[in-house]
Amino acid sequence: AGTKMYFSDMNLSLSQFSPGQWAHLEFDLKGDLGQQNVALKGETDLNIAVTLDDASLKQTEFNVSYSDASNKFNDISFTIDQFSFDTWANISLKAIGKANALNVNSISTFALYVPKALDVIQVKDFSSTNNIKGKGIPNEDVTAVIGFNSTFDLKKSFLSINTLSLSAVDTDFTGKMSVQLNDIPKVRFELRSPNIDVDALLATLPQSEVTATEKTASNNKELPASKATEVEPDLSALKTLDVAGTIIIDKFKASNAKMQNVTFVFSVNRGVLKLTKFHSDLYAGAIDMTATLDARKTTPTYSIKQSIKGVQVAPLLTDVMGESLIEGNGNMALNVSGKSLKPSALKENLKGKASINFADGAVNGVNIPLLIRTTYAKIKGEKVKGSEEAEKTDFSALTADFYLSKGNATTKNIKMVSPLLRIHGEGSAHYVNETANMLIKTSIVGSLKGQGGKGIDDLKDVTIPIRITGPWAKPKYKLEFDDVMQQKAKKEIDRGIEKLEEKYGDKIKDEKVKDAANKLLKGLFN
């Protein structure tokens, strides 16, 4: 194969040896494997039975050093106090060195039981403390502690791990797992954590620094921006897995959203990832979700079903976004699917339906009654005074269905009910560019008191269109009052005809007379 390996400084020393008697053995060697260098040194007291079917060791110690282009461990040791079949042996492992640019210090201890029948090997009180220091890890200093008891059935090739405990970066897990060795190992596990704070974990990671190249590119605005070629993520590793398990987290925090009693049940089987259950208590309500990712083909496909019930939307959005565009008790449903995980294609290929149903809340950022009053007052030439009313529109119910396709969410049935207003809306929200173009048609059903206490009840039953455009973060609201005035004029004409009918009775019923009066009134209002 064109490769060479060199072994040198090989030494073996064995004291006087006799079956059934203790003998002292020492050895060492060095090896150059081309890309790796190793050195091995060890000693032990050895006792082999006369029948050669049994052996015992005591005061055993092995020392190893290893190095390659990226790693260097000068201190790796393995010690056994004593070993014989059908007896517990105490073992310790130590490794100190560098893995890439990280300093590693690992110490592990456990007890090992090997039966003479070589059927079930047992490990108990396994404890491993691993300290890693260097750039690119939380706080540049992480200590991970692992503990468990286990059994390995050699005949069935089955590993069982119980009383498993994991601890690192203020995150703890307890649980159990099993591994059935097949062509693809079958892994099953159950884990539980009292608390996971993703935000706190991310805060310990080093902040990315702007490189010199990025600084130059940002300063030189004349250079055209080169768009990076997008590729599908490599999910081929999923085809080699058969893993299923449950993770329960009592308290969970991510993007400042707080969840309780979180349960994940998922599996990965030969390229298909399934989230068969996700449940969490969320701001006085609950969220449930299932999902599937099929990575067996070059372009992966996915589907997601999600329902949110009884969630207090305002505190959730405030925690996540810093502000809340909407308040109330929220119910939401999502049923979407798509293909490709490229960043641009992820949204563009998304299709499906999203539904919302909010009760007893408000839309923040716009006071529709106030907007109508002030705009109408300006049209009538009245002086508009400032208002201390909150920029919000209360509602008793708000519902809508959005249909997602090609980066756009369209709806024709936005409905909002409040003591003063009835609203019906339609339009689209582009979730790639995060912009909106909505037409909200508002009808006044209550009494809207204007400036100085004056009412504008003459706008009752007139449909008032409000156009919403611009980015989601800062939408613009505009009343299209031309249509409003036309509606109002028509209603005044109808009232005028009714009054003429009341006054002149049968005389106005003549179509020619009626048509003439109609034209006269229209002329007055136009």
Side-chain angles (χ1 to χ4, degrees):
T3 60
K4 294 181 180 180
M5 293 183 289
Y6 297 90
F7 293 93
S8 62
D9 298 310
M10 292 185 289
N11 300 288
L12 176 66
S13 173
L14 178 64
S15 67
Q16 182 177 345
F17 174 78
S18 178
Q21 301 294 321
W22 287 101
H24 188 71
L25 173 68
E26 295 181 4
F27 65 92
D28 62 271
L29 65 87
K30 294 180 180 179
D32 181 351
L33 310 181
Q35 300 296 323
Q36 300 88 24
N37 292 294
V38 296
L40 177 63
K41 182 179 181 180
E43 63 177 317
T44 183
D45 289 338
L46 174 67
N47 187 331
I48 298 179
V50 177
T51 58
L52 300 180
D53 62 352
D54 202 356
S56 297
L57 302 174
K58 66 179 181 180
Q59 298 178 354
T60 302
E61 182 175 355
F62 299 104
N63 294 286
V64 181
S65 66
Y66 172 87
S67 65
D68 59 28
S70 303
N71 307 293
K72 186 175 183 180
F73 285 83
N74 291 327
D75 188 2
I76 302 174
S77 65
F78 174 81
T79 61
I80 307 175
D81 63 346
Q82 64 78 35
F83 172 84
S84 59
F85 292 110
D86 297 327
T87 303
W88 286 98
N90 296 312
I91 299 174
S92 66
L93 298 169
K94 181 176 72 171
I96 300 175
K98 274 196 171 185
N100 294 316
L102 300 176
N103 294 311
V104 179
N105 188 335
S106 175
I107 299 176
S108 303
T109 60
F110 61 94
L112 176 68
Y113 182 88
V114 181
K116 188 177 291 186
L118 293 177
D119 49 3
V120 179
I121 297 176
Q122 300 179 59
V123 172
K124 71 175 181 180
D125 300 332
F126 182 93
S127 177
S128 178
T129 301
N130 307 276
N131 178 254
I132 304 174
K133 295 181 179 179
K135 294 183 178 180
I137 61 174
N139 293 325
E140 297 188 359
D141 189 343
V142 171
T143 297
V145 180
I146 305 171
F148 61 81
N149 295 324
S150 69
T151 61
F152 182 63
D153 191 321
L154 291 171
K155 294 180 179 179
K156 297 180 180 179
S157 298
F158 185 77
L159 172 66
S160 176
I161 298 176
N162 299 303
T163 61
L164 174 64
S165 63
L166 307 170
S167 178
V169 198
D170 297 325
T171 302
D172 301 313
F173 279 101
T174 57
K176 61 182 181 179
M177 68 179 299
S178 66
V179 180
Q180 177 68 60
L181 297 180
N182 297 321
D183 55 335
I184 295 180
K186 182 179 179 181
V187 180
R188 300 293 181 265
F189 66 90
E190 295 178 13
L191 295 175
R192 183 169 199 142
S193 175
N195 181 52
I196 293 181
D197 190 335
V198 177
D199 297 337
L201 175 61
L202 294 176
T204 64
L205 294 174
Q207 301 298 316
S208 60
E209 297 181 357
V210 180
T211 64
T213 304
E214 290 172 333
K215 288 180 180 178
T216 303
S218 62
N219 292 333
N220 190 355
K221 296 181 180 180
E222 295 181 0
L223 293 177
S226 59
K227 186 176 181 181
T229 302
E230 294 184 350
V231 296
E232 295 290 348
D234 184 5
L235 302 178
S236 58
L238 297 180
K239 299 177 183 179
T240 65
L241 297 178
D242 182 2
V243 179
T246 300
I247 300 176
I248 297 174
I249 306 170
D250 297 336
K251 293 182 179 180
F252 183 78
K253 181 184 174 188
S255 298
N256 209 37
K258 304 171 185 67
M259 303 182 187
Q260 298 83 34
N261 303 319
V262 180
T263 301
F264 296 88
V265 181
F266 70 93
S267 65
V268 182
N269 192 351
R270 293 166 173 80
V272 179
L273 169 63
K274 288 186 177 181
L275 179 63
T276 54
K277 178 182 179 181
F278 172 80
H279 174 84
S280 173
D281 295 338
L282 180 72
Y283 293 84
I287 176 173
D288 290 275
M289 181 171 67
T290 61
T292 300
L293 172 65
D294 191 338
R296 291 175 293 183
K297 296 182 179 179
T298 304
T299 302
T301 59
Y302 58 89
S303 62
I304 302 171
K305 290 184 178 180
Q306 176 182 291
S307 67
I308 297 176
K309 296 181 180 179
V311 171
Q312 291 299 318
V313 180
L316 170 60
L317 294 179
T318 301
D319 283 348
V320 175
M321 302 174 61
E323 61 179 349
S324 175
L325 297 177
I326 194 167
E327 302 175 13
N329 185 288
N331 299 291
M332 289 167 273
L334 181 70
N335 188 351
V336 297
S337 61
K339 62 180 180 179
S340 179
L341 298 181
K342 293 179 182 179
S344 61
L346 194 60
K347 291 183 178 180
E348 291 175 356
N349 294 337
L350 191 66
K351 60 181 181 180
K353 180 182 177 182
S355 301
I356 62 171
N357 187 339
F358 297 118
D360 302 324
V363 176
N364 292 321
V366 59
N367 186 328
I368 294 179
L370 177 61
L371 184 63
I372 294 172
R373 290 201 304 266
T374 55
T375 305
Y376 187 56
K378 289 177 182 179
I379 290 175
K380 294 171 66 177
E382 297 177 358
K383 188 176 180 180
V384 179
K385 299 179 181 179
S387 174
E388 296 181 356
E389 293 184 40
E391 290 292 318
K392 61 190 295 186
T393 302
D394 296 326
F395 61 78
S396 56
L398 173 61
T399 62
D401 294 319
F402 291 90
Y403 295 89
L404 285 62
S405 179
K406 298 180 180 180
N408 211 31
T410 59
T411 180
K412 292 184 178 180
N413 65 346
I414 298 176
K415 295 180 181 178
M416 190 174 87
V417 178
S418 79
L420 302 177
L421 308 171
R422 294 292 184 271
I423 291 176
H424 180 276
E426 60 183 31
S428 64
H430 203 283
Y431 49 83
V432 175
N433 300 330
E434 296 188 355
T435 58
N437 186 358
M438 298 279 184
L439 181 61
I440 305 299
K441 297 179 179 180
T442 305
S443 299
I444 301 170
V445 295
S447 178
L448 296 181
K449 291 297 181 181
Q451 304 298 324
K454 296 180 181 179
I456 53 172
D457 294 343
D458 50 346
L459 288 182
K460 272 191 178 182
D461 300 324
V462 173
T463 300
I464 304 171
I466 301 175
R467 179 71 63 175
I468 303 174
T469 58
W472 294 358
K474 292 184 178 180
K476 295 180 179 179
Y477 302 89
K478 180 182 179 182
L479 268 67
E480 298 183 348
F481 245 99
D482 291 344
D483 184 62
V484 173
M485 299 311 293
Q486 290 178 8
Q487 291 182 62
K488 187 176 183 303
K490 185 177 183 304
K491 289 185 177 294
E492 294 295 342
I493 291 170
D494 292 339
R495 289 195 189 100
I497 295 296
E498 289 177 2
K499 289 180 179 180
L500 288 174
E501 288 180 345
E502 290 175 1
K503 185 174 182 179
Y504 296 103
D506 294 338
K507 294 180 182 179
I508 198 63
K509 288 183 180 180
D510 183 278
E511 290 299 323
K512 291 182 179 181
V513 176
K514 189 174 184 179
D515 184 58
N518 194 356
K519 289 181 179 179
L520 177 61
L521 288 171
K522 283 185 177 180
L524 291 174
F525 285 105
N526 288 332

